[in-house]
Amino acid sequence: MLSHKLILTGSYGVGKTSLFDRFLYNKFSSKYLTTIGVNVDKKVVNIDGRQLTMIVWDIAGEVTQDKIPNAYFLGASAMIYVFDVTRASTYEHMISDIDFLKAKLPKGIISIVGNKIDLVDEQFIQTELKTQAPLPWDILTSAKTGEHVEELFLSIGKKLLNRS
Amino acid sequence: MHVRKECRIWVDDNARIVKTQGNLFDKELLDKLFHVLFCPVILSIFDEIKKLTKDNPGIHIPAVNLSSKYINGYFHYFFKRESNGLILWVIKDQTAETNYKLIRLQPEMEKKLKRETERFLLSRRNCNYTDE
Ligand SMILES: Nc1nc2c(ncn2[C@@H]2O[C@H](COP(=O)(O)OP(=O)(O)OP(=O)(O)O)[C@@H](O)[C@H]2O)c(=O)[nH]1
Ligand SMILES: [Mg+2]
């Protein structure tokens, strides 16, 4: 069976572990336990009748992504760049971060994700967030309610399957 | 006195452990620990961690000035990380089941996150009020 490694990146506290927990175990905790090193687990997903093992790496958040140890990128096929829609400090480095990540994984899939949408309203998203975010996002999620979390991972899975 | 056994670890392309030899702990534990090995501090204490048994009172590694205490079945490690203040590591001692857990608690980051989020939510509320 095909397997791919996927890394969750982004600043601290944006919800990487929460997205990981939601996708892998369908659970959420409002307690913040910052990650050191990496959490790794895998999930087999079914996409259009094909199976794919997604090995998900949830790494410790860094304010800028160039602090991520090089070894983490080994063998990765996709990256999810998570920012917190309520904290501008988590998306202000987006352009340089994405450039850096693209250089690390030239052939990889990179998905930009705004998390914690349960804390904001549609008007904020359509006005302020849209003008403030340096790059357009691929999807907005809430690890808390589960909104769009499955879609996020499955859409990456689909791209990975279509490529191979 | 404990005898030092030779320790070997085989990893695949995804840095997952496929086979181990001569370790105190089982593959499952090492599998979990291995992913934090790239973190230099952990790398430097890994050999010490492997030597731990449930009778061990804790370890001190001078190189990273890491101190540890064994409290109620947990190994507690304290060390400083660049600009982020104190981090507390707790390694749960369940040697009998050879199932350890690594947890990082970082009270200062927690406060920082709370402050930033609350500031945002408050500003949103204010702006709704003025809209009305
Ligand atoms: N309201 C809300 N809170 C969230 C959401 N996702 C995460 N959180 C909270 O935000 C805090 C940080 O979440 P984590 O998942 O630990 O963040 P992280 O990106 O893994 O942080 P580091 O490991 O430090 O890099 C926790 O208190 C979570 O409960 C969300 O979608 N909505
Ligand atoms: Mg985390």
Side-chain angles (χ1 to χ4, degrees):
Chain A
M1 195 200 315
L2 203 63
S3 85
H4 279 291
K5 169 175 163 183
L6 185 119
I7 313 174
L8 285 154
T9 66
S11 192
Y12 72 91
V14 296
K16 297 178 295 299
T17 301
S18 303
L19 289 166
F20 178 90
D21 285 349
R22 173 61 74 194
F23 176 61
L24 288 151
Y25 320 117
N26 198 21
K27 65 172 194 197
F28 175 80
S29 159
S30 54
K31 180 136 186 55
Y32 178 35
L33 264 186
T34 176
T35 309
I36 228 178
V38 191
N39 295 318
V40 183
D41 211 339
K42 59 182 175 197
K43 181 167 174 169
V44 179
V45 292
N46 250 304
I47 299 167
D48 306 330
R50 292 168 73 191
Q51 283 203 318
L52 169 71
T53 304
M54 297 180 97
I55 301 167
V56 188
W57 280 46
D58 162 33
I59 69 182
E62 297 289 356
V63 174
T64 56
Q65 303 313 299
D66 51 1
K67 299 262 169 19
I68 300 174
N70 252 325
Y72 287 4
F73 295 108
L74 277 176
S77 311
M79 266 182 295
I80 299 178
Y81 178 82
V82 187
F83 67 92
D84 178 340
V85 294
T86 73
R87 289 155 62 221
S89 66
T90 68
Y91 50 80
E92 66 187 13
H93 304 292
M94 194 188 274
I95 292 180
S96 54
D97 278 349
I98 295 293
D99 279 350
F100 177 82
L101 296 175
K102 273 190 179 145
K104 283 284 159 204
L105 278 195
K107 294 198 187 95
I109 291 163
I110 300 180
S111 200
I112 300 176
V113 178
N115 186 42
K116 306 196 190 178
I117 42 164
D118 56 283
L119 294 176
V120 298
D121 52 26
E122 193 56 32
Q123 192 208 340
F124 170 80
I125 294 169
Q126 292 310 329
T127 55
E128 285 168 63
L129 191 61
K130 228 173 203 161
T131 51
Q132 278 170 26
L135 292 170
W137 53 79
D138 292 295
I139 197 165
L140 296 175
T141 58
S142 167
K144 186 175 181 177
T145 65
E147 191 175 349
H148 295 157
V149 177
E150 192 86 1
E151 286 94 317
L152 161 66
F153 285 92
L154 292 185
S155 73
I156 294 171
K158 199 166 185 165
K159 283 184 196 154
L160 290 169
L161 279 173
N162 287 342
R163 258 184 6 179
S164 45
Chain B
M1 282 281 112
H2 58 239
V3 185
R4 276 205 195 193
K5 288 187 259 173
E6 193 195 350
C7 156
R8 281 177 177 219
I9 300 169
W10 285 263
V11 290
D12 67 12
D13 289 345
N14 286 317
R16 290 191 78 85
I17 296 173
V18 286
K19 199 169 117 188
T20 62
Q21 183 192 7
N23 292 298
L24 257 180
F25 298 122
D26 70 342
K27 184 180 160 311
E28 204 189 321
L29 164 69
L30 285 169
D31 223 347
K32 286 187 181 133
L33 285 178
F34 192 78
H35 299 290
V36 295
L37 283 189
F38 301 122
C39 166
V41 175
I42 298 311
L43 184 58
S44 65
I45 66 168
F46 188 60
D47 281 343
E48 295 302 318
I49 291 177
K50 279 188 311 200
K51 282 189 282 180
L52 293 178
T53 70
K54 66 178 171 198
D55 306 321
N56 202 297
I59 50 168
H60 178 85
I61 293 109
V64 286
N65 199 20
L66 184 79
S67 56
S68 85
K69 274 188 188 156
Y70 185 79
I71 311 163
N72 297 335
Y74 291 85
F75 291 109
H76 292 234
Y77 295 92
F78 301 90
F79 61 90
K80 293 247 176 209
R81 196 173 81 153
E82 236 182 280
S83 76
N84 280 332
L86 190 72
I87 298 172
L88 168 66
W89 276 74
V90 183
I91 298 186
K92 196 172 181 186
D93 180 18
Q94 295 176 328
T95 315
E97 297 108 79
T98 56
N99 179 16
Y100 277 54
K101 246 198 163 119
L102 294 180
I103 308 166
R104 179 175 73 156
L105 303 165
Q106 215 168 336
E108 283 167 38
M109 280 169 81
E110 200 174 328
K111 263 187 254 155
K112 220 155 99 185
L113 171 63
K114 197 160 168 252
R115 218 183 305 127
E116 282 181 41
T117 308
E118 275 170 0
R119 197 187 302 139
F120 171 84
L121 292 175
L122 211 66
S123 74
R124 291 301 298 158
R125 237 168 270 143
N126 288 344
C127 106
N128 284 346
Y129 289 142
T130 49
D131 279 348
E132 277 162 18

